[in-house]
Amino acid sequence: MHAIRAADSEPLHRLAVRNPDSILEEMKRGNFLDHLRRDFAYAIRALRHHRGFSAVVVLTLALGIGANSAIFSLVDALLLRSLPVAHPEQLVALGDVTQTNSVWTGAPRTDVYSYPLYEDIRDDNTVLSGVYATTGTGSLAFGFAESSDSGSDRAASAPKPEYPHARYVTANYFRVLGVAPARGRVFRPDEDRAAGAAPVIVISDGYWKRRFARDPRAIGRTVSVNHVPMTIVGVTPPAFTGDVVAERTDVWIPVSMAPALTPTNDWLNDRRWDGLLLMGRRKPGVTFAQARAELVPLIRRLLDRAAAANPKSGASGSQVEDIPISSGARGFSYWRAQYATSLYTLLVAVALVLFIVCANVANLLLGRATSRRREIGVRLAVGAGRGRLVQQLMIESVTLAATGAVLGLGLAHWGIALLLRFAAAGGSVLPLDTRLDARVLAFTAVLTVVSALLFGLAPALRATRVDLAMVLRSHSRGISGPWRRLGAGRVLVALQVALSLTMLVATGMVMRSLRALEMGDLGLDRDHLLILSLDAAKLQRSDSALEALRRELSSKIGALPGVTAVSFSKNGIFKGTDAWTTFEIPGFVPRAESDSSAAYDIVGPRYFAAIGARLLRGRDLTDADMGDPGPVAVVNEAFAARFFPHADPIGRTLSRGGPRYRIVGVVADVHENDLRGAPRPRLYIPMWEHHGGNFFEVRTVGDPAQLVQAVRRVVQTTEPELEMDGPMALRDLTRNSMRQDILLARLVTGFGLLALVLAAMGLYGILSYATLRRTGEFGLRMALGAQPGEIQRLVLRDALSLLALGVVAGVPLVLVGARLLRSELYGVGPFDPLSIAVATAVLAASALVAGLLPARRAARVGPLVALRSE
């Protein structure tokens, strides 16, 4: 017993010597947590008791929070997230990070690099511990040998070649990134020293899973790549899908194997071939600013040195206008540049929708608080503090917001997949990692708390600001002060109208912009043109044999009923491929790199007649030009205006580091890959000195879609082994190029309609409540001889006054929003009266519809009903 008393007395002894303030603090903390627990329990019971009200609020919040979470998830995956590599903040990107599959020929460039220039940068810099180079491989045919054990190894065999997404990389690629293999090994340092000496590949975890079902025996397997045997030596970790964001990489190949896989293009030794992106890792203690301060002048010196060694190699360092050096933490991405502005625009749009949602929910809570005024008055009368009641009401708001957020995350997960499918061409999904990770969940949690404050705080404060004497005397409906005038509710509805007007105007402007893109002049026959893509190089035939096949196909396709002209080109139209070259014009002195460069294409005879382009001067290319040892060229209108502003270009000459071309024609500008902006200066060179016209342009009399099957049959019967993509109508190709605009238009329209519905709901709610509050007034008016039509007009006048207040407040928002949207528009100015007028008319119609039911209800009020309501 003595031991027990001693043990029991020890806490009392400690309690006696502790600071009384700390004891009081612990008691307060315990009371606060207990109150919090009880408030949450009470909130859940109260919301369960009012299931209809809770369901409406939760669903409304789920739409708002879910839309924001979905768009933020895409923004995070494409624009914000760092590569899953060791210390990504130390990476430095050299070149334009958006040029992930670009190849240029001519003077050395610095947005993409040649391999010799890469070697110079790698060896001469002192701020990077390592630099690697990477470029796309194009289409490589992968063949898999049949397995002797077909039962257990079915994944290792395939009857036809496959074309996985592959990239050439230098052997230090994985070491610079800090990526260790999940299985096997990565490239050794010496595996890019000698051309063709390293027939090894590394595959991604995703490709290992899809192609080999994660069979460990895939390591060491021999694969035929363009008929060259190569060995799989490693598999990357699941989290690493490459340094090119939103473009899945399945296979990595050492650059030393490029001459063996594509022997017709020896770009490893060509300073006039630019197609490499470079990535380096800073040495310890070197800041990004220090790295950039050394790399920019170093690259200029290297270009000067190359120009001094070979004056015909192209531009010197002093002529290079820009040397892009940026953080490499987020990797390379073409799609980032394409969708950045649209995603940020959508983020603003969904934020506006969430504000409308919060205003709507706040109005609902204001109405609900009115029905609870007697409960709140009684609790205040018996001693409950106002702060304590505000806390309890805010807990209810947080509970509603949290429930809506959970449901919203489910909607976001479904919406992200839908958005990715809309964003990609041909229905294929962009390979983005859009899982709901910690960053997205944290964003949603912050959004939930902010939303609860936005829609819950004002109703909670107003609900606890009551006249106790009046509330306790009142049986049901009487309220005092500003509550009778519904000031807060009217302000919230006006805010919803203003934000909805902004969304609807944005919808109108985006839709008009999309229409302008669809109807814009491309400089060619958009509605009667088929584009056919053929990969003849994979046939492994001589240049003369490929030339004969191309001419045979042109002849047979041209003989089809409904075909008026056929030609071919190297790059195609709206196929995402282009080429750039540098040149010299006698008597013309370039002052910058852009003064001696232009886009170019290599085309067949009667090319401009085939695509429906307008010749302004001179003539089209002919069959005779295809074999003429004195080459000719046609230039576009932009080229002529820039380089021959005061002279006729016909008969003038230019050279591209070798043969001299005589200009024989000027063609009107043609949009070849981009619907926006002015066409760039462009050269068209006859196919005679090049072999590899992969694209056929087929002009038709009627609908080109009706000739698709006939053209396919001609190709298949002429050469069954020829890989074919298409044919596809040019109007469909241009629509694919507009997928960003189409996605933006769809989403902004959807959010605009949602905003319109929410605004109409807000108008209906406030008018219904106002009608209920004015029951006595309407009854008295009816008793004094007012007609039902007059009562209806009173209610509808209130609706239109709220609409007018919202429109006046919304016009400044519209002007600001239109300027933010300017970069996404085409053919529509930042001030668009037509869109504003249509949006106002749509809101007016919705206001009349929202006010019609309360107006009819008010018109049926009789004097006896009015007396009973008092």
Side-chain angles (χ1 to χ4, degrees):
M1 292 292 294
H2 178 72
I4 294 174
R5 286 172 184 159
D8 291 342
S9 65
E10 185 175 331
L12 296 176
H13 170 70
R14 292 182 179 177
L15 189 62
V17 298
R18 285 174 60 187
N19 189 335
D21 291 339
S22 66
I23 298 173
L24 185 60
E25 191 67 29
E26 286 188 9
M27 293 176 64
K28 289 180 178 180
R29 189 182 303 115
N31 287 337
F32 174 76
L33 293 176
D34 184 60
H35 289 162
L36 208 60
R37 179 184 60 79
R38 293 185 179 184
D39 286 345
F40 270 113
Y42 179 80
I44 293 172
R45 289 197 304 270
L47 296 176
R48 288 177 61 186
H49 183 68
H50 300 279
R51 288 186 176 87
F53 169 84
S54 301
V56 171
V57 171
V58 166
L59 287 174
T60 305
L61 290 170
L63 288 173
I65 296 176
N68 277 267
S69 297
I71 299 300
F72 177 78
S73 181
L74 290 176
V75 169
D76 179 51
L78 187 60
L79 307 180
L80 305 179
R81 189 178 300 166
S82 297
L83 293 175
V85 300
H87 301 289
E89 72 282 355
Q90 297 176 357
L91 297 176
V92 178
L94 287 73
D96 185 346
V97 296
T98 68
Q99 302 295 325
T100 55
N101 293 291
S102 297
V103 174
W104 312 95
T105 59
R109 300 176 66 90
T110 55
D111 51 352
V112 286
Y113 289 84
S114 67
Y115 190 77
L117 183 54
Y118 154 72
E119 291 181 309
D120 294 339
I121 296 171
R122 179 195 65 192
D123 298 338
D124 291 5
N125 87 88
T126 62
V127 291
L128 302 176
S129 60
V131 187
Y132 72 79
T134 177
T135 187
T137 63
S139 181
L140 296 178
F142 281 63
F144 298 87
E146 292 288 343
S147 170
S148 59
D149 184 8
S150 61
S152 61
D153 203 19
R154 287 190 301 267
S157 61
K160 291 184 179 181
E162 298 178 8
Y163 301 92
H165 300 276
R167 290 190 72 82
Y168 288 124
V169 296
T170 50
N172 61 348
Y173 174 85
F174 295 102
R175 180 177 61 82
V176 173
L177 286 175
V179 175
R183 286 181 176 269
R185 66 172 180 87
V186 293
F187 303 132
R188 298 191 181 103
D190 60 345
E191 288 183 323
D192 62 359
R193 299 299 183 190
V200 293
I201 60 174
V202 174
I203 64 175
S204 70
D205 179 82
Y207 189 64
W208 182 43
K209 178 182 177 181
R210 293 192 309 274
R211 184 62 188 79
F212 299 102
R214 296 190 182 276
D215 185 354
R217 291 174 294 178
I219 308 299
R221 188 180 302 280
T222 298
V223 177
S224 170
V225 183
N226 273 19
H227 304 287
V228 176
M230 302 188 72
T231 303
I232 300 174
V233 296
V235 179
T236 61
F240 182 74
T241 57
D243 55 351
V244 182
V245 179
E247 293 180 31
R248 184 185 73 238
T249 302
D250 299 318
V251 180
W252 291 269
I253 304 173
V255 293
S256 59
M257 293 303 300
L261 299 178
T262 53
T264 59
N265 186 9
D266 184 17
W267 50 265
L268 287 181
N269 299 307
D270 188 356
R271 286 190 178 271
R272 294 176 63 83
W273 184 97
D274 300 286
L276 296 172
L277 288 172
L278 311 185
M279 183 81 80
R281 183 175 289 275
R282 290 186 275 117
K283 289 182 176 179
V286 177
T287 65
F288 175 79
Q290 291 171 333
R292 192 180 190 284
E294 177 180 310
L295 291 170
V296 170
L298 170 64
I299 294 171
R300 291 192 187 277
R301 289 196 303 271
L302 293 173
L303 289 173
D304 287 336
R305 188 173 72 188
N310 183 8
K312 291 186 178 181
S313 65
S316 64
S318 59
Q319 291 179 299
V320 174
E321 298 173 357
D322 184 32
I323 299 179
I325 306 289
S326 59
S327 170
R330 297 179 298 149
F332 308 112
S333 181
Y334 166 80
W335 296 107
R336 183 181 298 144
Q338 291 291 305
Y339 285 105
T341 304
S342 295
L343 284 176
Y344 284 129
T345 300
L346 290 175
L347 203 56
V348 173
V350 293
L352 290 178
V353 170
L354 185 61
F355 277 120
I356 297 173
V357 165
C358 289
N360 214 328
V361 173
N363 249 340
L364 292 173
L365 290 179
L366 281 172
R368 184 166 181 262
T370 304
S371 65
R372 301 176 65 182
R373 69 194 182 283
R374 186 171 181 83
E375 168 202 343
I376 292 172
V378 170
R379 296 178 67 179
L380 287 171
V382 298
R386 187 182 179 210
R388 180 75 180 81
L389 291 178
V390 170
Q391 174 185 313
Q392 186 179 82
L393 293 175
M394 285 303 301
I395 291 296
E396 292 185 15
S397 297
V398 170
T399 303
L400 286 169
T403 307
V406 172
L407 181 58
L409 285 174
L411 294 176
H413 180 72
W414 170 80
I416 290 169
L418 189 62
L419 288 176
L420 288 176
R421 192 164 297 280
F422 280 155
S428 59
V429 177
L430 290 178
L432 280 175
D433 181 9
T434 55
R435 64 182 184 277
L436 301 177
D437 59 7
R439 290 160 63 100
V440 177
L441 294 177
F443 172 82
T444 305
V446 171
L447 203 64
T448 301
V449 174
V450 171
S451 299
L453 290 174
L454 285 175
F455 71 74
L457 187 58
L461 293 175
R462 294 187 72 81
T464 56
R465 190 186 300 129
V466 297
D467 186 334
L468 287 179
M470 180 171 292
V471 168
L472 294 177
R473 284 198 307 269
S474 170
H475 176 62
S476 61
R477 294 181 182 175
I479 57 175
S480 64
W483 280 72
R484 185 178 297 277
R485 295 188 299 273
L486 301 174
R490 294 174 68 88
V491 169
L492 290 173
V493 171
L495 175 63
Q496 290 182 66
V497 171
L499 295 177
S500 299
L501 178 69
T502 304
M503 290 295 302
L504 289 175
V505 171
T507 299
M509 295 176 73
V510 169
M511 294 301 294
R512 292 189 63 208
S513 174
L514 183 63
R515 181 64 175 169
L517 282 172
E518 290 177 336
M519 302 302 294
D521 182 15
L522 300 183
L524 45 74
D525 194 350
R526 184 203 301 244
D527 296 325
H528 301 92
L529 202 58
L530 277 176
I531 308 297
L532 173 65
S533 175
L534 301 173
D535 196 349
K538 293 177 182 176
L539 297 177
Q540 308 245 325
R541 296 182 184 176
S542 65
D543 289 341
S544 59
L546 293 178
E547 174 68 15
L549 175 61
R550 183 165 54 239
R551 291 185 177 277
E552 181 182 2
L553 287 173
S554 296
S555 176
K556 288 184 176 180
I557 294 173
L560 290 173
V563 173
T564 60
V566 179
S567 191
F568 39 83
S569 63
K570 179 73 173 179
N571 296 318
I573 302 174
F574 281 93
K575 296 297 289 186
T577 59
D578 210 344
W580 197 268
T581 187
T582 55
F583 54 86
E584 296 176 2
I585 298 175
F588 181 83
V589 180
R591 289 178 293 182
E593 181 186 15
S594 59
D595 287 339
S596 59
S597 60
Y600 81 103
D601 202 356
I602 305 165
V603 301
R606 296 170 296 281
Y607 176 74
F608 303 107
I611 66 174
R614 292 178 289 112
L615 276 170
L616 303 179
R617 290 191 294 279
R619 63 174 177 84
D620 203 339
L621 298 174
T622 66
D623 288 297
D625 295 321
M626 302 299 116
D628 189 351
V632 298
V634 172
V635 300
N636 71 345
E637 189 175 4
F639 189 103
R642 181 166 185 174
F643 298 106
F644 305 100
H646 306 296
D648 187 354
I650 302 298
R652 300 291 295 270
T653 61
L654 56 88
S655 61
R656 294 175 54 238
R660 187 171 295 276
Y661 296 86
R662 179 171 50 89
I663 299 175
V664 298
V666 178
V667 68
D669 291 335
V670 172
H671 292 263
E672 305 227 6
N673 276 303
D674 185 13
L675 292 167
R676 297 172 180 269
R680 299 173 296 183
R682 185 176 293 273
L683 282 168
Y684 298 93
I685 301 168
M687 191 69 75
W688 74 271
E689 68 166 344
H690 294 273
H691 301 276
N694 294 336
F695 297 97
F696 280 69
E697 287 78 22
V698 182
R699 193 174 182 187
T700 65
V701 176
D703 184 1
Q706 296 179 357
L707 285 172
V708 167
Q709 294 303 321
V711 172
R712 290 183 66 87
R713 282 194 298 270
V714 167
V715 175
Q716 290 168 350
T717 55
T718 303
E719 180 50 73
E721 296 182 8
L722 193 59
E723 293 287 337
M724 177 172 44
D725 180 20
M728 194 170 185
L730 179 62
R731 61 169 177 261
D732 295 329
L733 289 172
T734 56
R735 189 164 183 82
N736 283 345
S737 73
M738 294 161 52
R739 55 185 175 271
Q740 175 187 350
D741 303 278
I742 294 171
L743 173 67
L744 183 65
R746 286 175 175 174
L747 293 179
V748 171
T749 300
F751 294 142
L753 292 176
L754 178 60
L756 177 64
V757 171
L758 291 172
M761 289 172 59
L763 279 167
Y764 172 76
I766 195 69
L767 291 173
S768 295
Y769 183 67
T771 302
L772 181 66
R773 297 301 307 148
R774 297 174 67 182
T775 298
E777 174 195 342
F778 291 149
L780 182 59
R781 287 176 180 270
M782 296 287 284
L784 295 176
Q787 298 298 314
E790 296 175 353
I791 302 299
Q792 289 186 19
R793 284 192 291 273
L794 282 175
V795 177
L796 293 177
R797 187 178 62 187
D798 282 349
L800 294 178
S801 67
L802 284 173
L803 173 71
L805 182 63
V807 169
V808 170
V811 169
L813 293 177
V814 166
L815 298 178
V816 173
R819 292 192 174 276
L820 294 176
L821 197 62
R822 181 168 48 189
S823 63
E824 296 297 316
L825 301 177
Y826 177 82
V828 180
F831 178 70
D832 187 20
L834 179 60
S835 295
I836 295 175
V838 172
T840 303
V842 170
L843 279 172
S846 68
L848 291 175
V849 171
L852 191 59
L853 186 60
R856 288 182 174 179
R857 188 184 304 124
R860 291 197 296 267
V861 173
L864 293 179
V865 175
L867 291 173
R868 286 198 300 269
S869 68
E870 295 300 324

